Amino acid sequence: MTYEALVGPSSASGGSCYWLRHMKLYRIGIVIAACLLFATFVFYYLLLNDESNVPSNDIHRSRSQLEAFDEVSPLKAADLKLRIDEMLRIKGTVSLELRDLEARRQKLQSDIGLYNQKIDELKQELSRQQTELERLKISVEQAQVAQREAVLRNTPELALPKALFSISTPEQNRPLSRALARECKMSTCFDHSRCSLTSGFPVYLYDPDVHSAANVGYDIDGFLKTTIKQTLGYNAHLTDDPNRACVFLVLVGEALPEQETVRNNRYGITNIENGKHSGGSSLNMTKLYHLPFWGGDGRNHILLNFARRDLSIGTGNVFRNSDTGRAMLVQSSYEEGQYRKGFDLIVPPILGPPGGDVWQECSSMLPARRKFLLSFQGEMNVQNQSNLNHVDDEAETVDDFIIEHLKEMSLGHTQDRFLLQFECIPATEQRNPSTIRDWSLCGTDNSRKSVLKEATFTLLLAPGGNSISSTLFQARLYEALRAGAIPVILGGDQMELPYSETIEWRRAAISLPKARITELHFLLRAISDADLLMMRRQGRLIWERYLSSVQATVDSIIASLRDRLGIPPKPVSPVMAHSVFNSTFIPLKSDPVLDTEPEESLGPIEPPYPSPAFRRNYTAHLIQSREAWNDWADPFALYPQLPFDPVLPSDAKFIGSHMGFRPIGKGAGGAGKEFGESLGGNHPREQFTIVILTYEREQVLMDSLSRLYGLPYLHKVIVVWNSPKPPLEDLRWPDIGVPVHVVRALRNSLNNRFLPYDAIETEAVLSVDDDAHLRHDEILFGFRVWREHRDRVVGFPGRFHAWDTNTLDAWNYNSNYSCELSMVLTGAAFIHKYYTYLYTYTLPQAIRDKVDEYMNCEDIAMNFLVSHVTRKPPVKVTSRWTFRCPGCPVSLSEDDTHFQERHKCINFFTKVFGYTPLLNTQYRADSILFKTRIPHDKQKCFKFI
């Protein structure tokens, strides 16, 4: 194929084709223009036709369309301006109408919002009323149960028996023969008719300054006489009415050395047995027989013979070879055949101060093992050879063997160190002028104390002869317990220890027969550190409570005699709660604060129900006497309740002893619903008291009180007003459904938080800061947990004491998050009211003074006290670790000085107690069904706990 064939014809033919193409485009353009013109006429025609067909009722629309069409047409300027003005006027009118409509719309929306809010409030009120109705139903059921219990009981309250108070002094009786007097027992020589169980054990003291016969011819140390009268004056059992007295105390002066007896002979000191001068060995009984209330045989008389502070004076046994009739003897030194066990009483010598804090005299309990394993310092008194007999010769031989073995033991191949000194260097002047073989004390009190503080054990050798107790032996026991050296009594099978009827000495001392001397070293090495510290702690407890001072000795004597008779002690004295108002305080009525969400039904609304008090007056000290003397170390007072009261078996709640118990589901158990209707547990129903300490934060306090509205099991609220300024007169106190007592504090002290106010009528006390924000379910869960751990601190914020790893010799207070804690802050914690008595009356005054000095650490002190008594750690409940109070003033606890003071407090309290009683715990308490998957038809115990 050629090129032409491919590209087309020649140039002439190409031009004609170009013209034809342009002609076709021209025709197309003409056709399009004609169509547009035709469409314009058609549109105009249709528009005119439509205007003619517009109905009369659509005149505005037709006019608008004409105007729109006219606007397209050329108009005059004046007409156009008029029309524009008209349009603007219409626009303004429409705008006004629209604004009016918008205002109406907003008002309607506001009304709708108010109505919705009102509906929500009514729904909340309905929910609240339904919850309240459920609570009331439960309350009615509980009241019906209480009524049935009252009907079934149908017995009056236990009435006191007729008091056996004597209306006269003891009658004159025939003197008792010496043989019968040596066999005296409580059943044969004591007149129980003067000591009723309800008498309170009244004690009468012969005043040595008034009744000269009470001096029985011997000088009484001035310090001793004054101190005894003063300390007995503090004792609740003392009476000045001899007609009503149960026992009569006679303070007897101690026998003096021979050179002083010559001077006293001018006053007629004569031995009633042989008519010779006493020579310091026996007592002139003539003046005893002439005491006003002796009654011929001395029944119910207690002869007190306290050894002097200077152990070089007197034998301690002035009643040797004397006829004391039916009177009881109380002294330190006895011979076999003279001591009537269960009738007479052995007491330590008077070596301590009159009273007060004695912790400064004690040594630290740590470390468990000290420098010396065993110590002894003493020298055997050389006995008059004319008085020696075969028994004494044999005893001396045994003592010589013991001494030789001890010397060999100290020089043997052992790493243990001993300090054994059998001769006083320099020679001691404290030689006992008695006729018995006894070990005198070497050196001074301070020198002996310095040795005992470095000894793990100290040896107490029994005196020779037929002595079962001597003043020097008792003085050694006193000094050993004070220094924390565990007493090892060699010859303990023949010795009697103070208050042995009630004190378990096995827990504080090691008593061995002399035949065990060869096994002594092995035994001492076999005792573990834990047992060492337990014995040392028990020994210090015995020393502090029963031996340390004149007050402790006098109180222990009276408590021991009263304990024999089964008479309960006097009730402990509460602190009177004086209102800050001039008259009885009645809170001003105001609407309770409504929560944003109603609380779930957590328990019934009950009327105030105080805890039963003084129900175990005659059984607590019978059944738990051992615990009272050895564990609690507090047999001196009667408490309304104890956290150690026994618990009934589970089936007793349904068989014969159901009074007061509210088992879950009436015994069938159950989940959340049944759980919320009853307290359950192992104890009868009870309530709790909230104690709030506040200082000039009225609004914070009012908010805290308002949040307590409707709290189940709440008995009352005690507000301790620590400020010297009274509350504002216009301050509106919320009505929370229970009494609110505002107590006036005598001074601004954090110790006021733990005063045992008489207004507290429940065992459970919830101590709360005025800015602590606790939900109702948290409080009730804490209360339920406390009911199972009544002897411990149960609360929310946990803290711990941490060892200072830099100094390695001190403790630090730590509030960091930790998996181990040892304290629960009492700004939100449950405690038993019993501990408020101990804090106020038993805790060393130095600790309370330190709290006042720092205005801090009262919570640490309470944790120390409870852990010291129970040897248990606190119980933390829920996940709450701290408290945040929005809007509250800055707390003192946010200052670094606050933590520095708490470091010092822990170390100072450790010094006072002699050790750190705080114990660690690694768990917290949550409700049983917490985070447990349960069926949909069941409820959890608590929603969030």
Side-chain angles (χ1 to χ4, degrees):
M1 183 178 292
T2 62
Y3 178 75
E4 289 84 355
L6 291 173
V7 300
S10 61
S11 59
S13 59
S16 60
C17 291
Y18 178 77
W19 181 82
L20 289 174
R21 285 195 298 269
H22 278 277
M23 284 295 292
K24 291 178 181 179
L25 292 174
Y26 177 75
R27 289 177 181 177
I28 291 172
I30 293 173
V31 171
I32 291 173
C35 290
L36 288 175
L37 182 61
F38 178 77
T40 300
F41 284 107
V42 170
F43 175 75
Y44 182 75
Y45 172 80
L46 292 175
L47 184 62
L48 292 177
N49 188 39
D50 185 68
E51 181 181 4
S52 61
N53 295 330
V54 171
S56 59
N57 56 357
D58 203 9
I59 186 64
H60 297 288
R61 181 180 176 186
S62 62
R63 185 177 302 170
S64 176
Q65 289 177 348
L66 289 175
E67 289 174 355
F69 181 78
D70 290 342
E71 287 177 359
V72 179
S73 305
L75 296 175
K76 294 182 179 180
D79 295 338
L80 183 60
K81 182 179 179 181
L82 290 176
R83 292 189 178 187
I84 292 174
D85 292 340
E86 183 180 0
M87 293 298 294
L88 291 175
R89 181 182 58 78
I90 294 172
K91 179 182 177 182
T93 304
V94 172
S95 298
L96 291 176
E97 291 179 356
L98 290 176
R99 282 196 294 268
D100 184 58
L101 291 175
E102 179 63 21
R104 292 181 182 180
R105 187 186 66 83
Q106 292 179 356
K107 185 176 183 305
L108 289 175
Q109 287 182 342
S110 176
D111 293 341
I112 291 173
L114 292 176
Y115 287 129
N116 288 334
Q117 182 180 357
K118 187 66 175 178
I119 291 172
D120 293 338
E121 292 178 357
L122 291 175
K123 287 181 179 179
Q124 290 184 8
E125 184 64 21
L126 176 62
S127 177
R128 184 181 297 277
Q129 293 298 335
Q130 288 176 343
T131 302
E132 194 73 15
L133 179 61
E134 293 297 325
R135 290 184 178 181
L136 291 175
K137 288 180 180 179
I138 299 173
S139 301
V140 171
E141 293 178 0
Q142 298 287 355
Q144 291 173 347
V145 173
Q147 182 184 15
R148 287 195 297 269
E149 289 178 349
V151 172
L152 290 175
R153 182 179 301 168
N154 197 26
T155 56
E157 291 293 330
L158 181 64
L160 293 176
K162 182 179 180 180
L164 297 179
F165 282 120
S166 232
I167 59 175
S168 62
T169 57
E171 298 179 357
Q172 195 69 22
N173 297 280
R174 293 180 59 184
L176 197 66
S177 67
R178 178 175 294 240
L180 292 178
R182 289 184 180 274
E183 301 296 329
C184 267
K185 301 177 181 178
M186 292 296 293
S187 59
T188 59
C189 293
F190 190 84
D191 184 6
H192 288 77
S193 65
R194 299 190 64 88
C195 304
S196 168
L197 287 175
T198 60
S199 65
F201 194 65
V203 175
Y204 179 82
L205 172 67
Y206 286 99
D207 189 345
D209 296 327
V210 176
H211 300 284
S212 60
N215 197 349
V216 298
Y218 291 95
D219 285 342
I220 301 177
D221 184 81
F223 164 82
L224 187 63
K225 179 169 59 176
T226 304
T227 305
I228 293 298
K229 290 175 59 178
Q230 182 179 3
T231 52
L232 269 174
Y234 296 144
N235 195 286
H237 296 279
L238 188 67
T239 180
D240 57 359
D241 185 2
N243 295 322
R244 302 174 67 86
C246 171
V247 296
F248 301 85
L249 301 182
V250 184
L251 184 59
V252 178
E254 185 162 27
L256 303 177
E258 293 182 4
Q259 63 270 21
E260 297 191 18
T261 305
V262 175
R263 173 177 57 83
N264 290 331
N265 278 339
R266 292 180 297 174
Y267 296 93
I269 301 178
T270 306
N271 190 318
I272 191 128
E273 294 184 62
N274 50 31
K276 297 180 181 180
H277 296 303
S278 65
S281 61
S282 60
L283 185 67
N284 175 18
M285 294 298 298
T286 304
K287 293 195 174 184
L288 276 180
Y289 295 160
H290 288 87
L291 288 173
F293 316 115
W294 184 259
D297 56 4
R299 65 182 62 195
N300 291 36
H301 275 63
I302 315 296
L303 306 182
L304 303 175
N305 173 32
F306 295 114
R308 299 193 178 202
R309 295 168 60 86
D310 185 358
L311 295 176
S312 66
I313 300 177
T315 66
N317 188 0
V318 299
F319 299 112
R320 183 188 297 111
N321 301 325
S322 298
D323 183 8
T324 56
R326 298 177 187 265
M328 298 182 190
L329 307 182
V330 177
Q331 60 180 8
S332 301
S333 182
Y334 286 94
E335 294 179 0
E336 189 175 0
Q338 177 192 12
Y339 177 66
R340 298 163 293 185
K341 192 167 186 176
F343 191 74
D344 296 328
L345 199 62
I346 297 177
V347 297
I350 300 296
L351 300 176
D357 281 358
V358 293
W359 62 270
Q360 302 94 330
E361 300 290 326
C362 299
S363 305
S364 174
M365 298 186 196
L366 281 298
R369 300 186 183 274
R370 297 176 175 178
K371 180 179 179 180
F372 300 108
L373 178 65
L374 182 67
S375 72
F376 178 82
Q377 287 180 300
E379 184 175 352
M380 175 61 75
N381 290 330
V382 180
Q383 191 177 22
N384 189 343
Q385 298 295 323
S386 62
N387 295 327
L388 288 176
N389 52 37
H390 174 70
V391 176
D392 293 327
D393 288 338
E394 185 178 351
E396 186 174 0
T397 302
V398 173
D399 289 343
D400 291 341
F401 173 76
I402 291 175
I403 293 173
E404 290 301 322
H405 182 79
L406 289 172
K407 289 181 179 179
E408 293 177 3
M409 183 176 66
S410 62
L411 298 175
H413 298 286
T414 176
Q415 296 180 351
D416 296 322
R417 301 181 63 181
F418 299 86
L419 195 157
L420 302 175
Q421 181 180 341
F422 299 101
E423 291 183 3
C424 295
I425 302 173
T428 180
E429 297 180 357
Q430 296 185 359
R431 292 186 178 275
N432 194 332
S434 67
T435 58
I436 64 173
R437 300 176 69 252
D438 203 354
W439 294 91
S440 61
L441 301 174
C442 293
T444 64
D445 180 70
N446 288 332
S447 66
R448 295 192 299 272
K449 184 188 296 185
S450 63
V451 171
L452 291 172
K453 285 182 177 181
E454 295 184 338
T456 305
F457 300 93
T458 187
L459 190 63
L460 275 67
L461 294 174
N466 61 350
S467 175
I468 62 170
S469 178
S470 69
T471 300
L472 291 173
F473 176 84
Q474 298 295 342
R476 287 184 180 277
L477 178 64
Y478 174 97
E479 293 180 352
L481 297 178
R482 178 185 62 181
I486 300 173
V488 179
I489 305 171
L490 206 57
D493 51 345
Q494 77 178 63
M495 301 304 295
E496 293 287 344
L497 300 180
Y499 315 114
S500 56
E501 297 175 53
T502 51
I503 294 179
E504 294 182 346
W505 282 102
R506 283 192 173 189
R507 298 171 58 177
I510 299 173
S511 181
L512 299 172
K514 292 182 178 180
R516 296 286 188 191
I517 182 61
T518 58
E519 302 171 301
L520 178 61
H521 190 192
F522 168 78
L523 177 62
L524 298 184
R525 287 295 304 271
I527 301 176
S528 66
D529 288 2
D531 291 331
L532 283 176
L533 292 176
M534 184 183 69
M535 296 182 72
R536 187 172 294 157
R537 174 184 175 275
Q538 188 68 18
R540 173 165 173 168
L541 183 145
I542 292 173
W543 182 84
E544 286 183 336
R545 298 295 287 162
Y546 309 124
L547 314 178
S548 60
S549 64
V550 181
Q551 183 75 59
T553 301
V554 170
D555 291 344
S556 300
I557 291 172
I558 294 178
S560 296
L561 298 174
R562 191 202 67 245
D563 192 82
R564 283 182 183 176
L565 299 173
I567 299 176
K570 290 282 189 178
V572 66
S573 299
V575 175
M576 300 298 295
H578 298 287
S579 174
V580 297
F581 304 95
N582 295 329
S583 59
T584 304
F585 172 56
I586 302 177
L588 297 175
K589 297 291 184 178
S590 65
D591 295 333
V593 178
L594 298 179
D595 297 330
T596 56
E597 295 183 1
E599 291 272 3
E600 56 179 321
S601 179
L602 300 172
I605 303 298
E606 299 178 327
Y609 179 74
S611 298
F614 297 106
R615 291 297 183 92
R616 304 182 65 232
N617 298 348
Y618 302 95
T619 55
H621 284 268
L622 293 176
I623 299 174
Q624 296 175 294
S625 177
R626 180 188 65 83
E627 291 85 351
W629 281 87
N630 298 279
D631 295 334
W632 318 328
D634 192 9
F636 307 114
L638 181 66
Y639 295 93
Q641 309 93 6
L642 290 171
F644 320 107
D645 288 342
V647 179
L648 287 171
S650 298
D651 47 1
K653 293 180 287 188
F654 308 98
I655 306 175
S657 302
H658 61 278
M659 298 298 180
F661 286 94
R662 300 293 184 267
I664 304 299
K666 300 181 180 180
K673 181 180 183 298
E674 297 79 9
F675 179 78
E677 295 175 354
S678 304
L679 265 179
N682 302 312
H683 296 270
R685 68 185 180 111
E686 60 185 327
Q687 298 175 349
F688 61 91
T689 302
I690 292 180
V691 176
I692 302 177
L693 188 71
T694 187
Y695 186 89
E696 297 184 359
R697 297 203 295 185
E698 288 85 351
Q699 190 55 51
V700 174
L701 175 64
M702 295 303 106
D703 294 341
S704 296
L705 289 175
S706 299
R707 289 192 293 267
L708 300 178
Y709 173 79
L711 178 61
Y713 307 116
L714 177 60
H715 183 258
K716 67 174 64 170
V717 178
I718 307 294
V719 177
V720 181
W721 195 265
N722 240 14
S723 172
K725 301 177 183 179
L728 299 176
E729 295 183 358
D730 58 349
L731 191 63
R732 290 184 60 83
W733 297 82
D735 179 15
I736 60 175
V738 298
V740 177
H741 295 268
V742 186
V743 178
R744 182 180 71 251
L746 297 179
R747 59 191 181 92
N748 182 19
S749 171
L750 294 180
N751 293 312
N752 296 332
R753 180 193 297 273
F754 301 126
L755 289 177
Y757 292 111
D758 58 346
I760 301 176
E761 300 177 291
T762 60
E763 297 184 58
V765 178
L766 175 57
S767 174
V768 179
D769 287 339
D770 57 1
D771 58 355
H773 190 167
L774 289 172
R775 303 193 313 266
H776 286 193
D777 58 342
E778 293 176 318
I779 295 175
L780 291 184
F781 177 69
F783 176 53
R784 289 178 180 270
V785 173
W786 175 87
R787 281 167 46 82
E788 301 179 23
H789 303 277
R790 309 172 77 85
D791 60 339
R792 299 159 81 171
V793 179
V794 177
F796 300 88
R799 301 292 185 265
F800 65 99
H801 63 304
W803 188 246
D804 191 335
T805 56
N806 295 322
T807 63
L808 299 178
D809 62 352
W811 290 106
N812 286 335
Y813 173 84
N814 202 310
S815 62
N816 295 331
Y817 293 102
S818 172
C819 294
E820 196 172 60
L821 60 90
S822 58
M823 292 175 283
V824 166
L825 303 187
T826 54
F830 282 93
I831 58 174
H832 197 284
K833 187 182 178 182
Y834 169 74
Y835 293 119
T836 65
Y837 290 107
L838 296 188
Y839 187 96
T840 304
Y841 299 132
T842 304
L843 192 70
Q845 182 63 40
I847 292 181
R848 296 193 295 271
D849 291 342
K850 185 64 67 174
V851 170
D852 286 336
E853 177 185 347
Y854 288 153
M855 284 300 289
N856 198 345
C857 305
E858 84 286 356
D859 47 359
I860 301 178
M862 178 58 78
N863 278 271
F864 263 69
L865 174 63
V866 176
S867 294
H868 173 67
V869 173
T870 63
R871 302 305 300 130
K872 297 177 182 178
V875 177
K876 173 176 169 45
V877 293
T878 77
S879 60
R880 186 185 291 271
W881 191 262
T882 186
F883 293 103
R884 299 297 180 192
C885 179
C888 293
V890 177
S891 174
L892 294 175
S893 61
E894 298 181 8
D895 187 1
D896 183 64
T897 306
H898 171 83
F899 288 92
Q900 297 300 324
E901 291 172 348
R902 292 171 86 79
H903 300 331
K904 297 177 183 177
C905 284
I906 290 181
N907 291 288
F908 178 75
F909 296 167
T910 296
K911 185 178 180 181
V912 173
F913 279 92
Y915 74 114
T916 305
L918 299 177
L919 294 173
N920 293 320
T921 181
Q922 297 180 353
Y923 81 96
R924 75 171 190 231
D926 292 308
S927 63
I928 292 178
L929 296 180
F930 181 61
K931 290 190 175 181
T932 301
R933 295 181 180 274
I934 60 175
H936 296 291
D937 59 338
K938 299 293 182 181
Q939 296 179 2
K940 290 193 174 184
C941 311
F942 295 92
K943 288 184 178 180
F944 308 108
I945 298 176

